[in-house]
Amino acid sequence: MQVEPLTCTIGAELRNVDLGAASRDADTVAEIRALLLRHKVLFLRDQDFSRAEHVAFARHFGELEDHPVAGSDPEHPGLVRIYKSPETPNDRYENAFHADATWREKPPFGCVLRCVETPPVGGDTIWVNMAEAHARLPEDIQRKIEGLRARHSIEASFGAAMPVGKRLALHAQFPDAEHPVVRTHPETGEKILFVNAFTTHFTNHHTAANVRFGQDHAPGASLLLNYLISQAAIPEYQVRWRWKKNSVAFWDNRSTQHYAVMDYPPCHRKMERAGIVGTATY
């Protein structure tokens, strides 16, 4: 296996690795897991494996989860098909910096994403190291956000364009989740800035220590939240990947965010993703 870091901050490309074969090789899986913790997102080219091998590889890292809106491949539960075409409108959620499904009480561990069909040009994806984003915050901001918690909502994102009844039913099925603004990575111990496009508001900001007048709470808290969310857009924390057919990205959803650049209409872009169930945040 050859490992080529792509930036000083995040991302590495793996060569001489066949993930289809790795799905049956525990030693290779262990090596890839160690590299994932180090580089946070791993990239591979020319991975012509089957859907069964895709889900088998991902299951080495945990159970797979379905998506309540996108849905899974009928024959391979947990393999979500993200197919874009000129006939389907932009869904407005991928082209924002986000960690997947933080509206769950237990957000995903990570995802294994394979490109099935790519546009001739465009359609790149950007990943961001959110441990680095936290580490390089000004010290006064680090102190201010320590202990803060925030809500994450599927209703306010995927549900926003739905009819009211369907939106409320989605909220009833998936109530807003609350997470620490700075979570601790359960394997590395890193502090991770954990707010993104699914985050709606702080839940414990309105205290005597933070609020003198109402103006400190709103828009004061909103301005702070927007500032924190904006940290993902800093290029020094990022890596950008150009997709080709059978390219794969495997990322740690606990320590990264990503942004799927939607600059390719009216072309097709077809991706298949295995999302791995995570654990509760702390």
Side-chain angles (χ1 to χ4, degrees):
M1 185 186 301
Q2 293 181 345
V3 182
E4 181 180 340
L6 298 184
T7 78
C8 295
T9 307
I10 180 174
E13 184 174 351
L14 305 187
R15 295 175 180 167
N16 301 328
V17 182
D18 178 347
L19 291 187
S23 69
R24 299 179 292 276
D25 185 345
D27 290 339
T28 302
V29 167
E31 188 174 357
I32 290 174
R33 186 181 190 118
L35 290 168
L36 180 70
L37 294 178
R38 178 178 177 183
H39 296 286
K40 297 181 170 52
V41 56
L42 304 175
F43 303 104
L44 305 94
R45 299 286 190 193
D46 303 319
Q47 299 296 308
D48 190 14
F49 48 68
S50 68
R51 287 175 173 167
E53 289 173 325
H54 189 163
V55 298
F57 173 77
R59 282 202 180 102
H60 280 284
F61 300 88
E63 293 301 314
L64 303 188
E65 62 179 26
D66 204 349
H67 193 285
V69 177
S72 292
D73 180 86
E75 297 179 3
H76 301 91
L79 190 68
V80 176
R81 296 176 295 184
I82 307 171
Y83 289 4
K84 306 292 183 183
S85 73
E87 293 74 39
T88 56
N90 296 341
D91 61 13
R92 303 173 301 282
Y93 309 119
E94 294 174 34
N95 59 338
F97 286 108
H98 67 286
D100 283 328
T102 59
W103 37 264
R104 294 187 188 273
E105 287 294 335
K106 297 179 179 180
F109 164 99
C111 294
V112 182
L113 180 68
R114 182 169 73 110
C115 179
V116 177
E117 182 179 344
T118 184
V121 67
D124 298 353
T125 303
I126 300 166
W127 279 266
V128 193
N129 181 341
M130 298 309 295
E132 186 76 3
H134 176 265
R136 295 178 64 173
L137 283 171
E139 290 184 7
D140 62 317
I141 298 295
Q142 289 186 1
R143 289 192 296 270
K144 187 174 183 65
I145 65 176
E146 185 178 355
L148 280 182
R149 299 180 66 82
R151 287 282 170 85
H152 298 239
S153 175
I154 190 174
E155 179 192 13
S157 50
F158 285 96
M162 295 178 177
V164 173
K166 190 173 181 180
R167 172 171 58 78
L168 294 177
L170 184 67
H171 175 76
Q173 184 180 3
F174 297 98
D176 293 352
E178 182 175 302
H179 301 295
V181 170
V182 181
R183 74 171 292 183
T184 301
H185 194 287
E187 294 186 74
T188 67
E190 294 172 297
K191 297 297 183 182
I192 312 295
L193 182 59
F194 202 67
V195 292
N196 64 80
F198 293 124
T199 310
T200 58
H201 63 281
F202 299 130
T203 53
N204 63 336
H205 181 271
H206 200 303
T207 64
N210 294 327
V211 178
R212 306 161 302 161
F213 309 104
Q215 196 75 358
D216 288 342
H217 175 60
S222 298
L223 291 172
L224 176 59
L225 178 57
N226 287 336
Y227 169 76
L228 295 175
I229 290 174
S230 75
Q231 299 306 296
I234 295 175
E236 283 79 1
Y237 309 154
Q238 299 175 355
V239 63
R240 182 167 178 147
W241 179 247
R242 174 156 293 181
W243 292 102
K244 297 179 181 178
K245 183 177 179 180
N246 289 332
S247 295
V248 169
F250 179 19
W251 68 92
D252 188 334
N253 194 62
R254 302 164 296 181
S255 59
T256 66
Q257 291 185 31
H258 56 282
Y259 184 119
V261 182
M262 213 169 277
D263 60 351
Y264 54 87
C267 299
H268 291 264
R269 181 177 184 269
K270 296 183 179 180
M271 317 292 282
E272 295 181 351
R273 184 186 75 194
I276 303 156
V277 173
T279 55
T281 57
Y282 60 90

